[in-house]
Short mmCIF file of all heavy atoms in Angstrom, two decimals:
data_model
loop_
_atom_site.label_atom_id
_atom_site.label_comp_id
_atom_site.label_asym_id
_atom_site.label_seq_id
_atom_site.Cartn_x
_atom_site.Cartn_y
_atom_site.Cartn_z
N PHE A 245 -21.68 -12.58 -188.90
CA PHE A 245 -21.65 -13.69 -189.84
C PHE A 245 -21.44 -15.03 -189.13
O PHE A 245 -22.21 -15.98 -189.30
CB PHE A 245 -20.54 -13.47 -190.86
CG PHE A 245 -20.33 -14.64 -191.78
CD1 PHE A 245 -21.21 -14.89 -192.82
CD2 PHE A 245 -19.25 -15.51 -191.60
CE1 PHE A 245 -21.02 -15.97 -193.67
CE2 PHE A 245 -19.06 -16.60 -192.44
CZ PHE A 245 -19.95 -16.83 -193.48
N ILE A 248 -24.43 -16.30 -186.81
CA ILE A 248 -25.58 -16.88 -187.50
C ILE A 248 -25.24 -18.26 -188.05
O ILE A 248 -26.02 -19.22 -187.89
CB ILE A 248 -26.06 -15.95 -188.63
CG1 ILE A 248 -26.64 -14.67 -188.03
CG2 ILE A 248 -27.12 -16.65 -189.49
CD1 ILE A 248 -27.09 -13.67 -189.05
N VAL A 249 -24.08 -18.40 -188.68
CA VAL A 249 -23.70 -19.71 -189.22
C VAL A 249 -23.54 -20.71 -188.09
O VAL A 249 -23.94 -21.88 -188.22
CB VAL A 249 -22.39 -19.59 -190.04
CG1 VAL A 249 -21.96 -20.97 -190.54
CG2 VAL A 249 -22.57 -18.65 -191.22
N ALA A 250 -22.97 -20.27 -186.96
CA ALA A 250 -22.80 -21.17 -185.82
C ALA A 250 -24.13 -21.65 -185.28
O ALA A 250 -24.23 -22.76 -184.74
CB ALA A 250 -22.00 -20.47 -184.72
N ALA A 251 -25.17 -20.83 -185.42
CA ALA A 251 -26.49 -21.24 -184.96
C ALA A 251 -26.97 -22.48 -185.74
O ALA A 251 -27.66 -23.34 -185.21
CB ALA A 251 -27.50 -20.10 -185.13
N PHE A 252 -26.57 -22.56 -187.01
CA PHE A 252 -26.94 -23.73 -187.84
C PHE A 252 -26.06 -24.93 -187.50
O PHE A 252 -26.55 -26.05 -187.38
CB PHE A 252 -26.79 -23.38 -189.32
CG PHE A 252 -27.88 -22.52 -189.87
CD1 PHE A 252 -27.77 -21.14 -189.84
CD2 PHE A 252 -29.02 -23.08 -190.44
CE1 PHE A 252 -28.76 -20.33 -190.36
CE2 PHE A 252 -30.03 -22.28 -190.96
CZ PHE A 252 -29.90 -20.90 -190.91
N THR A 253 -24.75 -24.71 -187.38
CA THR A 253 -23.83 -25.84 -187.19
C THR A 253 -24.01 -26.49 -185.82
O THR A 253 -23.72 -27.67 -185.66
CB THR A 253 -22.38 -25.38 -187.33
OG1 THR A 253 -22.07 -24.35 -186.38
CG2 THR A 253 -22.11 -24.84 -188.73
N VAL A 261 -35.90 -24.02 -189.20
CA VAL A 261 -35.28 -22.70 -189.14
C VAL A 261 -36.23 -21.61 -189.64
O VAL A 261 -36.27 -20.50 -189.09
CB VAL A 261 -33.98 -22.69 -189.97
CG1 VAL A 261 -33.39 -21.29 -190.04
CG2 VAL A 261 -32.97 -23.65 -189.38
N ILE A 350 -28.28 -12.11 -194.49
CA ILE A 350 -28.89 -12.93 -195.55
C ILE A 350 -27.89 -13.95 -196.09
O ILE A 350 -28.21 -15.14 -196.28
CB ILE A 350 -29.43 -12.04 -196.68
CG1 ILE A 350 -30.63 -11.22 -196.17
CG2 ILE A 350 -29.83 -12.88 -197.90
CD1 ILE A 350 -31.12 -10.18 -197.15
N PHE A 351 -26.66 -13.51 -196.35
CA PHE A 351 -25.63 -14.42 -196.86
C PHE A 351 -25.33 -15.51 -195.85
O PHE A 351 -25.20 -16.70 -196.21
CB PHE A 351 -24.36 -13.64 -197.19
CG PHE A 351 -23.23 -14.52 -197.68
CD1 PHE A 351 -23.29 -15.13 -198.93
CD2 PHE A 351 -22.11 -14.73 -196.89
CE1 PHE A 351 -22.26 -15.94 -199.38
CE2 PHE A 351 -21.07 -15.53 -197.33
CZ PHE A 351 -21.15 -16.14 -198.58
N ALA A 352 -25.25 -15.14 -194.57
CA ALA A 352 -24.99 -16.13 -193.52
C ALA A 352 -26.11 -17.16 -193.45
O ALA A 352 -25.87 -18.35 -193.21
CB ALA A 352 -24.82 -15.44 -192.17
N MET A 353 -27.34 -16.70 -193.67
CA MET A 353 -28.47 -17.62 -193.68
C MET A 353 -28.33 -18.64 -194.82
O MET A 353 -28.58 -19.84 -194.63
CB MET A 353 -29.78 -16.83 -193.85
CG MET A 353 -30.16 -15.99 -192.64
SD MET A 353 -30.78 -16.98 -191.28
CE MET A 353 -32.34 -17.56 -191.94
N PHE A 354 -27.92 -18.18 -195.99
CA PHE A 354 -27.71 -19.09 -197.12
C PHE A 354 -26.62 -20.11 -196.81
O PHE A 354 -26.75 -21.29 -197.12
CB PHE A 354 -27.35 -18.30 -198.38
CG PHE A 354 -28.54 -17.88 -199.19
CD1 PHE A 354 -29.09 -16.61 -199.05
CD2 PHE A 354 -29.12 -18.74 -200.11
CE1 PHE A 354 -30.19 -16.22 -199.78
CE2 PHE A 354 -30.22 -18.37 -200.86
CZ PHE A 354 -30.77 -17.11 -200.70
N VAL A 355 -25.55 -19.65 -196.19
CA VAL A 355 -24.45 -20.55 -195.83
C VAL A 355 -24.95 -21.60 -194.84
O VAL A 355 -24.66 -22.80 -194.97
CB VAL A 355 -23.27 -19.77 -195.23
CG1 VAL A 355 -22.21 -20.73 -194.69
CG2 VAL A 355 -22.65 -18.84 -196.26
N GLY A 356 -25.72 -21.16 -193.83
CA GLY A 356 -26.24 -22.08 -192.83
C GLY A 356 -27.20 -23.10 -193.42
O GLY A 356 -27.13 -24.29 -193.09
N ILE A 357 -28.09 -22.64 -194.29
CA ILE A 357 -29.04 -23.56 -194.93
C ILE A 357 -28.30 -24.56 -195.82
O ILE A 357 -28.64 -25.75 -195.86
CB ILE A 357 -30.09 -22.76 -195.76
CG1 ILE A 357 -30.97 -21.94 -194.80
CG2 ILE A 357 -30.94 -23.70 -196.59
CD1 ILE A 357 -31.88 -20.96 -195.50
N ALA A 358 -27.28 -24.06 -196.54
CA ALA A 358 -26.48 -24.96 -197.38
C ALA A 358 -25.81 -26.03 -196.52
O ALA A 358 -25.73 -27.20 -196.92
CB ALA A 358 -25.43 -24.15 -198.15
N TYR A 359 -25.36 -25.64 -195.34
CA TYR A 359 -24.72 -26.61 -194.44
C TYR A 359 -25.71 -27.69 -194.02
O TYR A 359 -25.38 -28.88 -194.01
CB TYR A 359 -24.18 -25.88 -193.21
CG TYR A 359 -23.85 -26.82 -192.07
CD1 TYR A 359 -22.68 -27.56 -192.06
CD2 TYR A 359 -24.75 -26.98 -191.00
CE1 TYR A 359 -22.40 -28.44 -191.02
CE2 TYR A 359 -24.48 -27.85 -189.96
CZ TYR A 359 -23.31 -28.58 -189.97
OH TYR A 359 -23.05 -29.45 -188.97
N THR A 360 -26.92 -27.30 -193.66
CA THR A 360 -27.91 -28.29 -193.19
C THR A 360 -28.29 -29.26 -194.30
O THR A 360 -28.55 -30.44 -194.03
CB THR A 360 -29.18 -27.58 -192.68
OG1 THR A 360 -29.73 -26.75 -193.71
CG2 THR A 360 -28.87 -26.72 -191.47
N THR A 361 -28.35 -28.80 -195.55
CA THR A 361 -28.67 -29.71 -196.67
C THR A 361 -27.48 -30.60 -197.02
O THR A 361 -27.66 -31.69 -197.57
CB THR A 361 -29.09 -28.91 -197.91
OG1 THR A 361 -28.03 -28.01 -198.29
CG2 THR A 361 -30.34 -28.08 -197.62
N LEU A 362 -26.27 -30.12 -196.68
CA LEU A 362 -25.08 -30.89 -197.00
C LEU A 362 -24.86 -32.04 -196.03
O LEU A 362 -24.27 -33.07 -196.38
CB LEU A 362 -23.85 -29.95 -196.99
CG LEU A 362 -22.51 -30.52 -197.46
CD1 LEU A 362 -22.54 -30.81 -198.96
CD2 LEU A 362 -21.37 -29.55 -197.12
N PHE A 373 -16.66 -28.57 -191.95
CA PHE A 373 -17.10 -27.16 -191.97
C PHE A 373 -17.57 -26.72 -190.59
O PHE A 373 -17.27 -25.61 -190.14
CB PHE A 373 -18.22 -27.00 -193.00
CG PHE A 373 -18.76 -25.59 -193.07
CD1 PHE A 373 -18.06 -24.59 -193.73
CD2 PHE A 373 -19.97 -25.26 -192.46
CE1 PHE A 373 -18.55 -23.29 -193.79
CE2 PHE A 373 -20.47 -23.96 -192.52
CZ PHE A 373 -19.75 -22.98 -193.18
#
Side-chain angles (χ1 to χ4, degrees):
F245 173 76
I248 292 178
V249 177
F252 284 90
T253 59
V261 174
I350 292 173
F351 178 70
M353 291 286 291
F354 271 96
V355 173
I357 294 171
Y359 164 79
T360 57
T361 58
L362 187 68
F373 179 77

